Amino acid sequence: MITLVVDSPSRPIAFPLTGSSGEIIAGSLPDHAIYLPYKGISRRHFGLSLKDGVWWIRDLESTNGILINGKKTKEAKLRVGDMIQAGTVQIRVESSEEFQSIEAPPSSDASQQSQETDKVGMVPLKSAGPVYSFPKLTFPEGFLPCNSQGMLDIFRKIYSVRESDANVLLVGETGTGKDMIARTLHLSSKRSKGPFIAINCAAIPEELAEAELFGIGDKVATNVSKRIGKIAQADKGTLFLDELSAFPYELQAKVLRALQDKSVTPIGESRSIPVDFRLISATNLEPSDLIQAKKLREDLYHRLATVEITLPPLRERKEDLEVLIPPLLLQLAQLENKRVPGISKRLMSLLIHYPYPGNMRELTNILRSMVALAHPGEILDVHLIPGKILEPQDASSLPADPSLAENPYDLRKTVNNLTKGLIVQALSKNDGNVKKTASYLKISTFGLRKMMKRLGIQK
């Protein structure tokens, strides 16, 4: 018998061909026996059938056709060593005996999926459910629910000030979701039908900051056209200034004046323009530190922080991760147009214990990486996880152990040596059979091979 082998980003995927009374269909639809969700693959691309002990391949009138060893064909016999080209995908024809240790991808077959789930313990992906009973709050698209007390307190504050015009200052580390909270405030307010104008102050060059915020009058200089500033664009809506302290210290006095007078004066003009807006600002540093460092005017701070809301970092609300990860993975899988049934419980445990110095932004990037590397239909497991999650973390994020206090040692080296010893013992116990060893250790064959390569273990 033969096996079709596709090289995917995360691992080679093998499709063993066994005796079949009917034609095996390959294409981009998930319900096909050979699921190939790649560019250039038609919904029904080619069919495989067994005739007198020989496998034949047949083009099913696909858009891009099939090539066997570089030659376009409608129907041909398959032999070990043949190379099939279908769209952008190259598929090797190999002997099944040589690929017994390669695991076929999870298919739509319920029994096979159930066996894989039982082996690793799977958390299924699902859409985000209702958040809390706040019927008058409107959350932006992509918002994900949370269970922590810290986030519940934030929603209560938003609920309380949603109809107010009071300025709000959001304080929190990078990636804690300040932009999402600002948009929730806007959408839940009486100004929701007006514009939401967001400015990343740190991204604006210092020499352009005043023009960007206040605008430019007509005929100020040659080749300079009139421009409406961001504050004026926020009329009847909400202005969100992210990292306001990045603006020049001298310019902050003009911002304060605009807040007090509810008007702006474009560069080169003497006439003020009245503006009706609500201001939400944000910073990732403590306001008191910014004031002391002369990066934020104290009088401006008091004007900004009529209501001050502090967003907790992700490491302080770990209980949210169990609720955040499945729907976020589902969103990312849909963006990648990839079928991902779930995430293993052991991978979920690793993700929950990681401290996320980059908060939600880092979590999203880690999950996006794993979804991109996974084969369609594959349960996300530990072999897809970025190495930094397995590296030793800052001591403050780990449980205290008195035995380590006076005897520091190389944790990574110790863990690697322990892992290597366990794998070598398991290989010996299973006569060097990689597939049996992987099953014995309750990890995938691919994951074991990857660890063996990293630790320099020879079969």
Side-chain angles (χ1 to χ4, degrees):
M1 288 300 169
I2 60 175
T3 295
L4 303 187
V5 182
V6 180
D7 287 323
S8 76
S10 62
R11 61 175 180 176
I13 304 300
F15 296 95
L17 301 183
T18 58
S20 175
S21 57
E23 190 173 36
I24 297 173
I25 305 300
S28 61
L29 293 179
D31 53 354
H32 290 325
I34 299 180
Y35 176 39
L36 301 173
Y38 306 108
K39 289 183 179 179
I41 298 292
S42 299
R43 292 188 174 192
R44 288 169 51 89
H45 203 104
F46 61 84
L48 298 157
S49 55
L50 184 62
K51 301 175 184 178
D52 299 326
V54 178
W55 282 98
W56 287 73
I57 185 170
R58 179 173 70 93
D59 180 25
L60 298 179
E61 298 183 1
S62 61
T63 302
N64 296 311
I66 56 174
L67 285 77
I68 305 296
N69 301 324
K71 293 182 180 180
K72 194 163 187 177
T73 184
K74 287 291 184 182
E75 188 172 17
K77 293 181 181 179
L78 288 181
R79 300 177 178 85
V80 172
D82 283 347
M83 182 67 73
I84 305 169
Q85 178 83 33
T88 60
V89 180
Q90 287 195 332
I91 306 168
R92 302 192 310 274
V93 180
E94 300 289 352
S95 169
S96 294
E97 287 74 15
E98 296 180 14
F99 278 87
Q100 287 180 353
S101 62
I102 296 182
E103 295 179 346
S107 69
S108 56
D109 180 80
S111 62
Q112 183 179 353
Q113 186 66 60
S114 176
Q115 291 173 7
E116 182 67 14
T117 301
D118 290 343
K119 185 171 71 172
V120 301
M122 186 187 78
V123 178
L125 305 191
K126 58 183 178 180
S127 300
V131 188
Y132 295 107
S133 181
F134 290 126
K136 294 186 179 180
L137 288 189
T138 302
F139 297 102
E141 185 178 357
F143 176 83
L144 293 174
C146 304
N147 281 346
S148 64
Q149 186 61 45
M151 292 306 296
L152 179 57
D153 290 342
I154 287 172
F155 296 145
R156 284 176 176 152
K157 289 179 181 178
I158 295 174
Y159 183 82
S160 298
V161 302
R162 70 190 188 284
E163 295 293 346
S164 171
D165 276 333
N167 296 328
V168 177
L169 175 63
L170 304 175
V171 181
E173 296 178 5
T174 299
T176 49
K178 297 186 290 293
D179 177 81
M180 190 69 75
I181 295 299
R183 291 179 187 275
T184 301
L185 267 167
H186 170 71
L187 293 173
S188 305
S189 73
K190 59 187 177 183
R191 298 176 178 272
S192 59
K193 294 182 179 178
F196 178 83
I197 305 298
I199 306 176
N200 182 356
C201 303
I204 302 175
E206 187 172 324
E207 62 273 13
L208 300 178
E210 185 173 1
E212 186 74 13
L213 205 58
F214 297 95
I216 301 176
D218 195 20
K219 300 178 181 178
V220 171
T222 305
N223 297 326
V224 176
S225 57
K226 183 177 180 179
R227 183 193 305 170
I228 300 176
K230 295 292 187 182
I231 293 180
Q233 292 178 30
D235 188 41
K236 302 295 188 294
T238 302
L239 179 68
F240 176 48
L241 299 181
D242 195 8
E243 304 308 334
L244 178 63
S245 60
F247 267 146
Y249 194 75
E250 298 75 17
L251 182 59
Q252 292 180 23
K254 193 171 182 180
V255 174
L256 176 61
R257 196 158 51 249
L259 291 175
Q260 291 172 336
D261 301 340
K262 288 292 183 180
S263 65
V264 294
T265 305
I267 296 174
E269 290 191 1
S270 56
R271 181 178 60 88
S272 295
I273 302 173
V275 186
D276 176 23
F277 65 94
R278 182 188 196 176
L279 178 65
I280 303 174
S281 50
T283 176
N284 60 3
L285 299 173
E286 283 296 325
S288 57
D289 295 338
L290 293 171
I291 293 170
Q292 187 173 2
K294 298 295 183 183
K295 291 185 177 181
L296 177 65
R297 292 176 59 103
E298 186 170 5
D299 49 1
L300 177 58
Y301 163 69
H302 292 303
R303 175 68 66 169
L304 298 176
T306 307
V307 177
E308 185 171 328
I309 299 176
T310 300
L311 276 65
L314 203 51
R315 63 182 174 274
E316 292 180 6
R317 51 187 185 98
K318 289 296 186 71
E319 62 268 40
D320 285 340
L321 288 170
E322 290 187 19
V323 184
L324 285 168
I325 290 174
L328 184 53
L329 277 172
L330 183 61
Q331 287 183 12
L332 296 172
Q334 291 170 345
L335 286 175
E336 292 282 337
N337 193 28
K338 185 176 289 187
R339 183 173 62 90
V340 178
I343 175 174
S344 73
K345 290 182 179 179
R346 60 191 173 199
L347 176 54
M348 177 71 88
S349 178
L350 284 172
L351 291 173
I352 288 174
H353 286 90
Y354 182 67
Y356 298 101
N359 293 294
M360 280 297 299
R361 190 172 293 121
E362 184 178 14
L363 171 64
T364 302
N365 287 338
I366 288 171
L367 299 183
R368 184 186 294 273
S369 168
M370 293 192 299
V371 169
L373 290 172
H375 181 79
E378 178 182 13
I379 296 173
L380 301 182
D381 205 357
V382 292
H383 67 278
L384 296 171
I385 202 165
K388 64 179 179 179
I389 293 184
L390 301 175
E391 292 176 357
Q393 305 301 327
D394 183 86
S396 61
S397 66
L398 299 173
D401 185 345
S403 66
L404 302 181
E406 298 179 1
N407 300 289
Y409 59 87
D410 189 327
L411 179 59
R412 186 187 303 181
K413 183 177 179 180
T414 303
V415 171
N416 284 344
N417 287 340
L418 176 61
T419 304
K420 185 174 182 178
L422 291 173
I423 291 175
V424 169
Q425 289 180 34
L427 282 167
S428 177
K429 183 179 181 66
N430 290 280
D431 300 321
N433 187 298
V434 175
K435 188 174 183 179
K436 289 182 179 179
T437 302
S439 178
Y440 176 78
L441 294 172
K442 295 185 179 180
I443 60 176
S444 67
T445 303
F446 176 80
L448 177 58
R449 289 185 183 278
K450 189 173 181 180
M451 283 191 282
M452 287 173 63
K453 183 177 180 180
R454 178 172 63 85
L455 297 172
I457 301 173
Q458 299 294 326
K459 182 180 176 182

